[in-house]
């Protein structure tokens, strides 16, 4: 049994290793969703003219990890209060977004957003969107951090984020 969740929270290079490391997640695939052209390229998405958001499609077993737990990890590992940016990554392709696959997911998302807003004390700007076509990113984006841990962006941005995540969510990480 598996379900699917699609999250946009800045660069997909940052999201993929977080979700891939969770127990109960069988896949986390970087890609694009929400735009108006079919099968976009990275360059097209970065131009911000296609309407796509960089996302990770997460396949998970809800008997092992709940959608709500995935949401809690998602909100804890990016800034859901900044519009179209994460740190130095700026542009509409870096929007905080959740592409709800079912009405139940949408209901859970709204509940968790209310909790996160109360905890942060400021508005969450994460877009709550419906199910959209997911387009896998080009192969060189898959496992980018795993294959390039010493690359500048990976070392400066992703490594510290993963370290913080691993400390906070150690109990959820697959062995």
């Amino acid at each position: 049994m598996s379900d699917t969740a699609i999250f946009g929270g800045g660069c997909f290079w940052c999201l993929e290793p977080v979700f891939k490391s969770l127990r109960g997640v069988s896949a986390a695939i970087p890609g694009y969703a929400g735009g108006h052209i079919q099968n976009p390229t990275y360059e097209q998405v970065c131009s911000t003219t296609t309407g796509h958001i960089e996302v990770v499609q997460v396949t998970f077993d809800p008997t092992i990890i709940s959608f709500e737990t995935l949401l809690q990890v998602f909100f804890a590992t990016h800034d859901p209060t900044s519009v179209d940016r994460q740190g130095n990554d700026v542009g509409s392709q870096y929007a905080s977004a959740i592409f709800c696959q079912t009405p139940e997911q949408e209901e859970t998302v709204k509940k968790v957003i209310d909790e996160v807003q109360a905890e942060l004390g400021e508005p969450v700007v994460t877009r709550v969107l419906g199910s959209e076509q997911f387009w896998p990113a080009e192969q060189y984006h898959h496992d980018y951090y795993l294959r390039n841990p010493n690359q500048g962006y990976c070392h400066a941005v992703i490594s510290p984020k993963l370290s913080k995540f691993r400390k906070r969510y150690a109990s959820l990480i697959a062995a």
Side-chain angles (χ1 to χ4, degrees), residues 16-92:
E16 180 193 36
V18 165
F19 287 106
K20 261 194 163 166
S21 66
L22 294 170
R23 188 174 45 258
V25 170
S26 58
I29 302 169
Y32 317 105
H36 61 269
I37 67 167
Q38 294 194 5
N39 204 24
T41 66
Y42 181 68
E43 291 75 21
Q44 288 172 317
V45 172
C46 286
S47 76
T48 69
T49 60
T50 69
H52 289 89
I53 298 170
E54 287 191 19
V55 298
V56 173
Q57 181 187 61
V58 179
T59 304
F60 65 101
D61 181 339
T63 66
I64 298 172
I65 189 166
S66 70
F67 179 66
E68 186 167 345
T69 299
L70 292 176
L71 286 171
Q72 290 163 352
V73 168
F74 170 71
F75 282 113
T77 55
H78 84 293
D79 178 2
T81 65
S82 63
V83 177
D84 294 347
R85 81 174 301 147
Q86 290 295 304
N88 291 328
D89 294 333
V90 179
S92 57

Side-chain angles (χ1 to χ4, degrees), residues 128-161:
V128 180
L129 304 166
S131 182
E132 295 272 345
Q133 175 71 47
F134 170 79
W135 304 99
E138 296 83 347
Q139 196 59 44
Y140 69 92
H141 291 296
H142 296 239
D143 292 314
Y144 190 86
Y145 176 77
L146 182 66
R147 293 181 294 102
N148 302 281
N150 296 318
Q151 187 261 4
Y153 183 87
C154 293
H155 183 71
V157 176
I158 302 173
S159 289
K161 183 180 280 202

